[in-house]
Amino acid sequence: MPQSSAVQWVITINFRQANLLSCHRVPNHGWHADQQATLDNPWEDFHEHDRPSILGQGGVDGSAKRTASVGHEQEELHKRFAADVCRWMKKVTQESKIESVNVFAPSRVLGLIREQLADLSTQAIFHDCDIANLKPSEIATHPTVVRSLEPRSESAKSGS
C-alpha cells in the first residue's frame, strides 16, 4: 500500500511478535491505528520444556552436536527472532513504500535489532517502549505514540 502524507507508520516489537500499524488522524478524535501485518515468533515454543535441546545440529558430515550453554538458550532464541524481525521490517517497509516508521520495543529488543537495521536508520525512529501487547486502539492513544506521531513545531526541532 503506498504511503500518503496523512498516514504515519508504527512498528511494535517484543519477544513474542512484531506488528506493523498504519495510523491516521481522525478530526476531533485523535489518532486511529489499523494493524497491517504481524510476525509471530516461531522460536517461542521451539524446544520441549524441561528437556535438553540442541541448538546447533552439527554438520551433515556427522560432526559433533553442541548444546547452548546453560542460561543462554533463551538468548539464542531471542537473537534468532530479532534476525527474523529485521528481515520482516525491511520487507514490509519496502512493500508498503514506507519512508518513515516509529519503532517501539523494549531496550533488550532494540539492542538486538539496531545494528542489523543500520540500512533503515534514515527510515526508522526507535523508541524504548514495550507496547506490542496492546490493541491497536490502545496504541493509537498511548502518550508516547501520540507524541511520536505529532508533527514537531520549528521551536521544538531547534530545541528552543
Side-chain angles (χ1 to χ4, degrees), residues 116-141:
Q116 295 183 53
L117 290 175
D119 54 339
L120 284 181
S121 62
T122 58
Q123 290 176 265
I125 302 160
F126 297 100
H127 305 274
D128 185 355
C129 184
D130 186 2
I131 58 172
N133 60 333
L134 300 179
K135 297 175 188 172
S137 60
E138 295 170 323
I139 291 170
T141 59

Side-chain angles (χ1 to χ4, degrees), residues 15 27 61 74 90 116 128 130 137 140 144 147 160:
F15 284 122
D61 61 355
Q74 194 67 32
K90 290 174 184 178
Q116 295 183 53
D128 185 355
D130 186 2
S137 60
T144 306
R147 276 193 304 274
S160 303

Side-chain angles (χ1 to χ4, degrees), residues 58-123:
V60 293
D61 61 355
S63 60
K65 297 180 181 182
R66 62 176 174 71
T67 59
S69 301
V70 175
H72 293 282
E73 182 176 289
Q74 194 67 32
E75 181 182 327
E76 173 64 26
L77 297 177
H78 287 170
K79 286 179 182 178
R80 289 180 184 191
F81 183 57
D84 291 346
V85 167
C86 291
R87 284 189 295 274
W88 175 81
M89 283 180 62
K90 290 174 184 178
K91 179 182 173 201
V92 297
T93 55
Q94 184 177 41
E95 287 176 353
S96 298
K97 297 180 178 22
I98 296 173
E99 295 172 11
S100 178
V101 62
N102 284 286
V103 178
F104 296 88
S107 56
R108 288 189 60 217
V109 175
L110 289 176
L112 291 173
I113 66 172
R114 244 188 202 136
E115 65 185 46
Q116 295 183 53
L117 290 175
D119 54 339
L120 284 181
S121 62
T122 58
Q123 290 176 265

